Amino acid sequence: MADKPDTILVENPWQTLREYTDARIGLGRAGISLPTRAHLEFQLAHARARDAVHLPLGFVQLQQDLEQVLAQAGLPGPVLKLASQADGRPQYLQRPDYGRQLSSSSQEALTQWMADSPPAAFDIAVVVADGLSSLAVQRHAAPMLDCLLTSLADTSLKVGPVVMVEQGRVAIGDPIGETLKARMLVMLIGERPGLSSPDSLGIYFTWEPASGKHDANRNCISNVRHEGLRYEEATHKLMYLLLEADRRALSGVALKDESDNGQPSLASKSGNLLLKTPNT
Amino acid sequence: MSYQISLGQKSWQFNDLKSLLAKASPLRSGDCLAGVAALDEQERVAAQLALADVPLKTFLNELVIPYEADEISRLIIDRHDALAFAPIAHLTVGDFRNWLLSEQASTAMLARIAPGVTPEMAAAVSKIMRLQDLVLVASKCQVVTRFRNTIGLPGRMSTRLQPNHPTDDPAGVAASVLDGLLYGSGDAVIGINPASDNTEAVITLMKMLDDVIQHYDIPTQSCVLTHVTTHIEAINRGAPVDLIFQSIAGTEKANDSFGINLALLKEAYAAGQTLGRGSVGQNCMYFETGQGSALSADANFGLDQQTCETRAYAVAREFKPLLVNTVVGFIGPEYLYNGKQIIRAGLEDHFCGKLMGVPMGCDICYTNHAEADQDDMDALLTLFAAAGGSFIMGIPGSDDIMLNYQTTSFHDALYARELLGLKPAPEFEAWLQTIGIFDQQNHLAYGNQSLPAPFEHVIRGGH
């Protein structure tokens, strides 16, 4: 349905300035309130963001996608599935500390797996966690891994086990990486959804992951999605971190991402529109 | 000292004052996360009953964080005004609630006692008040501050125009500023959260906002919400700094995690005063707070998050701010889980701030992982405006595309103003009328597909 401009609805001619911003400017008004269409478009965006938080990640499908990507790269995997201590979404949302710890059965299973079938020598463990957006992980985790494996094929760095985690936070990669004895950890996790970005994937990188590491020990690449940072751009940044960390044996604040130095600024040519003088 | 209470067959003991305060707090997720919340509903009310019997004087003698251990505890005690406290010195917490609701607590009397109210007294009484108590008493409090206009007068509600953009793009920022001004927003401040904390980038934004304010001769002030040290550096480089911003918390350790202390704030305040850029007053500080910040810095010392929050207001009032903003729903569901908890926290913060003489506004907001939606924000906005809240945020269509959360829109402010007959700050109101945005009845003066003449060139020039 569309709102019709008539005597009821006031439209704003400056909605044309939307070419300069994604902000919801020039929405018009019904009285002093939002027009029906603008109101319901907001509700739809919020519904998408809410579903990204609350709809469970389809782990069966994700496992198939990840295994296919690994097989194409000639990697054996395996793809494991673990769970955090958080029992369901409400608890996950209220107790971030639970989301950072493996459940006791998952910790036991992982330790047992390492004892029974230790992986061949590898450099990088990959952890994929639902985080705050199952949509982001469902949509972007496998293609992002695919893009990364393509770039890694030209290097000597080897990818080992891939671990999926249910109700996981970023720091849960530390006990997993520690148990796997990984030199490096790449975590793919769903970020807190924005109203206009429900499917944003975050990538966290840690050198020698171990329980008790802090945020300052990690590097973050944020906003991976079609309308944000593309897979190729994210891979470019991540490869810089992986190769530098391999050389310098560190990650976090001491390893600054300088992969995009010299990138042109996004600042527009138009400047401060409000100071334009008439007829210019 | 411990506190006991027996009710029927059951009895409870609370080990100290901070534990009593924590257990008396209405339920919120952050206190559960901290492990300080009441174990069940009966324990909570038992604590409230015990707290009601505590004399206000106790809060001057039994400190929730020791005097020696925390500079904010020292600030609270050293700055306590015994003369202002005298009219309420004989009351218990429960009596204090009754007194606040009584006719004795007039607007003038509430202003008189404000310097005698410590954060813990305000927090304590708020814990035994319902929402209607928090609204009614706050509506009697009046805190008026001035820079280029007058904030907090009765019958007025101001707005911060928040034109955030993910890359600080000048055209993108300008488009949101225009949208806000044309909807009558921006009298509290035109305030940007910058994407970059680079000093030169921050100064570019400061100059841009100052240019707009000067070009259109707007009686308002600008602010770029960056760290206080960046403000000091910008002032040293000659940047046009109106308001100096800083996030503050209620314990020394939490402030340390923000990279600030009282001495640094004092230095920033002095730097702002030397500029003297206000026209009708020189309240030059803008602070933001929010329940949960101390715990998230692992610096809550067993206190509940609302008591920690009120201690931040003691920091704020030391520096005579123009604006103090509780960013109530930004921190996430591990501190305030749902709409009910966010609504109560916003009204508690406003009440406690006003009772202590702080010019309290509220970022009525939520994130997408909180159990909240626009209906919850409408409820808080309506209650907050009825309580006499000093200012709210204004953003295009409630969607902050830089910080990724939802706050009140320009439309929301007009709703609250129309519903409750609230006007902008008087100087800004006169400007809106003169430039043709509002008519004499403060309704939007322009119609379909039109805009006030002084702004027409912005659109024509763009195409």
Side-chain angles (χ1 to χ4, degrees), chain A residues 124-128 145 148 159-164 185-188:
Chain A
I124 304 164
V126 177
V127 175
V128 182
L145 181 62
L148 175 66
V159 169
V162 174
V163 180
M164 306 183 298
L185 178 84
V186 170
M187 164 164 268
L188 310 179

Side-chain angles (χ1 to χ4, degrees), chain B residues 72 226-230 245-261 264-265 287-299 309 312 315 331:
Chain B
I72 298 171
T226 186
H227 196 267
V228 70
T229 51
T230 309
F245 170 82
Q246 182 56 48
S247 290
I248 56 172
T251 70
E252 182 179 335
K253 187 181 174 190
N255 281 331
D256 189 48
S257 80
F258 290 161
I260 60 156
N261 53 44
L264 186 59
L265 293 176
F287 293 119
E288 285 190 351
T289 68
Q291 292 188 25
S293 61
L295 176 61
S296 74
D298 192 25
E309 168 74 5
V315 176
I331 193 163

